[in-house]
Amino acid sequence: MTVNPAHTALWPAPHASGAVDATVHVPGSKSVTNRALVLAALASEPGWLRRPLRSRDTLLMAEALRTMGVEIEEGVGPEGTGEFWRVIPAGLRGPATVDVGNAGTVMRFLPPVATLADGTVRFDGDPRSYERPLHGVIDALRALGARIDDDGRGALPMTVHGGGALEGGPVEIDASSSSQFVSSLLLSGPRFNQGVEVRHTGSALPSMPHIRMTVDMLRAVGAQVDTPESGGEPNVWRVTPGALLGRDLTIEPDLSNAQPFLAAALVTGGKVVIPDWPSRTTQPGDRLREIFTDMGGSCELTDYGLVFTGSGAVHGIDVDLGEVGELTPGIAAVAALADSPSTLRGVAHLRLHETDRLAALTKEINELGGDVTETADGLHIRPRRLHGGVVHTYEDHRMATAGAIIGLAVEGVQIENVATTAKTLPDFPDLWTGMLGA
């Protein structure tokens, strides 16, 4: 067995010699890009994605749709407009094999699409993808009339036997382990014969902003969606069958990927500007403005973008991150450098992400001299004087960026496999060193 050298290479995390003062252009949102690709592939006419994120997860999504017959043309627009993808829908077809990598959006959003294909679609991916929950999607699709072979695992690898259509209708699921179970059914719902009515039956849903993002994007392409927020039943979403419009969409910057750069301003008492920060968005990362302000910073949203300034002090925080769990690693890294303890709550579902993020954060921060304790649904972090060492990333992009944040304040931190950041944030090492003026 050969090992990719990038997976064992150690990257010396740059140490900040003073306050950061930088403008950082953050690439497009992964969550928006992958939803937009699915909706464009299911539309009745071509659509455009401008400034899409080109990362491992989005390229896996684009290639998967191509294997099912969708045409995706890539190009570069006039100066200043950036790259674009033109998506030309076609009759979905098999046989096809989809490599999901370790992308939750690909492994969960595309099986419903595959039920609409004429032929079989096999789904496979990285070893970790076999451990991530998929039962909610599989069980729901079977209840809606799909035929799926998964050998009873409720996980990858599996084969969807597409019949060219799916009856659809009402279905009950427990999506407490991932809000993507709900989004996956809603995205394809307009193409089901009866649409879809998704009723969540489990405990509290995590990452609700991502469901709101799905609903907003569906409505923007002409879908009729009834939600709890629009006067419907609690925990019930209904999508009416109908054609989807092609759209010309400019992808917002990925606000969750802006986190390490904002954290750099907070940790060093400096200033970072993120251009094109939207004034209205469903991205969970927008909550960073509130959280990092509570931890000692200040922010101003201007016509140009977000200006975030650190005060020179970092304070602990007690916060429920249930709706914005993906922000937990970066917040934990900042909390480890704070002047008082922190409690991060509502994120038990992170044990099922790219890695068990709660266990990983506890182990890695503690091995640098920290004092982190896992709780039933989160972390308790007592700041201690940290020292250098190796931060293992477990092929998890947010573990890598969390380690880089700590490295700003602690000399001698090395990040194992920093290349894993390419999952959602291409060129992170160059963006990071560029921010520091290196």
Side-chain angles (χ1 to χ4, degrees):
M1 175 180 174
T2 59
V3 177
N4 186 334
H7 292 186
T8 55
L10 298 179
W11 181 67
H15 181 69
S17 57
V20 167
D21 187 355
T23 296
V24 181
H25 290 267
V26 176
S29 163
K30 177 201 76 173
S31 297
V32 174
T33 299
N34 272 357
R35 283 166 173 77
L37 280 169
V38 171
L39 291 172
L42 296 175
S44 58
E45 57 191 352
W48 300 79
L49 278 64
R50 303 189 188 276
R51 296 183 184 171
L53 174 66
R54 290 181 57 86
S55 71
R56 187 185 186 215
D57 280 16
T58 61
L59 294 174
L60 284 167
M61 180 68 85
E63 186 55 32
L65 291 168
R66 287 187 178 110
T67 67
M68 287 191 275
V70 178
E71 187 176 343
I72 302 176
E73 300 174 349
E74 302 183 36
V76 179
E79 189 169 348
T81 62
E83 295 186 10
F84 68 80
W85 288 346
R86 184 169 184 251
V87 182
I88 303 171
L92 297 168
R93 64 179 183 272
T97 298
V98 169
D99 176 11
V100 309
N102 191 20
T105 51
V106 181
M107 72 178 71
R108 292 169 183 146
F109 291 177
L110 289 188
V113 176
T115 67
L116 304 171
D118 185 8
T120 60
V121 181
R122 177 171 171 78
F123 290 84
D124 208 336
D126 297 354
R128 171 62 180 173
S129 72
Y130 294 6
E131 302 170 20
R132 299 185 68 182
L134 197 55
H135 54 86
V137 176
I138 294 171
D139 293 347
L141 290 176
R142 284 183 175 140
L144 294 171
R147 182 181 157 212
I148 299 173
D149 294 335
D150 69 334
D151 293 332
R153 288 183 301 269
L156 294 177
M158 68 176 191
T159 299
V160 176
H161 296 268
L166 192 70
E167 191 59 25
V171 65
E172 294 186 352
I173 63 170
D174 179 352
S176 53
S177 60
S178 176
S179 68
Q180 290 175 352
F181 293 172
V182 174
S183 287
S184 70
L185 297 169
L186 299 184
L187 287 167
S188 291
R191 289 285 304 272
F192 298 164
N193 294 343
Q194 297 183 37
V196 72
E197 177 188 285
V198 181
R199 184 179 299 268
H200 166 62
T201 59
S203 55
L205 265 171
S207 306
M208 279 297 295
H210 279 123
I211 296 179
R212 290 193 282 270
M213 176 188 293
T214 298
V215 170
D216 277 10
M217 293 183 68
L218 276 161
R219 287 172 172 163
V221 294
Q224 181 179 328
V225 189
D226 296 323
T227 71
E229 294 87 350
S230 61
E233 295 179 60
N235 291 325
V236 177
W237 293 262
R238 294 184 181 90
V239 180
T240 301
L244 299 178
L245 307 174
R247 188 181 180 195
D248 192 327
L249 176 66
T250 299
I251 306 295
E252 300 173 353
D254 193 311
L255 306 187
S256 294
N257 278 340
Q259 181 182 39
F261 306 102
L262 300 181
L266 185 56
V267 167
T268 68
K271 181 178 77 172
V272 167
V273 179
I274 308 292
D276 302 319
W277 192 288
S279 58
R280 178 192 173 276
T281 181
T282 52
Q283 287 193 61
D286 193 45
R287 187 140 171 241
L288 286 167
R289 293 191 288 158
E290 168 200 339
I291 294 170
F292 277 172
T293 296
D294 289 345
M295 296 186 81
S298 62
C299 65
E300 180 186 5
L301 191 56
T302 69
D303 290 341
Y304 182 69
L306 182 71
V307 182
F308 187 84
T309 307
S311 63
V314 181
H315 308 311
I317 192 171
D318 186 329
V319 62
D320 188 329
L321 299 175
E323 290 204 343
V324 292
E326 66 196 48
L327 305 180
T328 302
I331 293 169
V334 172
L337 303 170
D339 57 14
S340 58
S342 295
T343 299
L344 313 183
R345 294 178 282 105
V347 288
H349 61 285
L350 294 190
R351 294 186 171 100
L352 301 170
H353 275 218
E354 280 81 346
T355 187
D356 178 341
R357 284 179 171 165
L358 299 184
L361 287 164
T362 300
K363 179 177 183 293
E364 297 308 315
I365 294 174
N366 286 351
E367 289 193 352
L368 298 179
D371 185 358
V372 182
T373 305
E374 270 193 72
T375 65
D377 72 337
L379 300 172
H380 186 64
I381 302 168
R382 303 167 195 82
R384 296 285 186 270
R385 183 177 180 84
L386 303 181
H387 55 72
V390 175
V391 173
H392 301 92
T393 59
Y394 310 92
E395 298 191 28
D396 184 337
H397 54 128
R398 300 206 193 278
M399 288 297 299
T401 53
I405 292 167
I406 293 173
L408 289 174
V410 180
E411 292 192 63
V413 172
Q414 299 181 87
I415 312 297
E416 174 206 53
N417 186 20
V418 75
T420 195
T421 53
K423 184 177 194 294
T424 62
L425 186 53
D427 305 321
F428 169 74
D430 290 342
L431 287 169
W432 196 246
T433 54
M435 172 191 70
L436 295 169

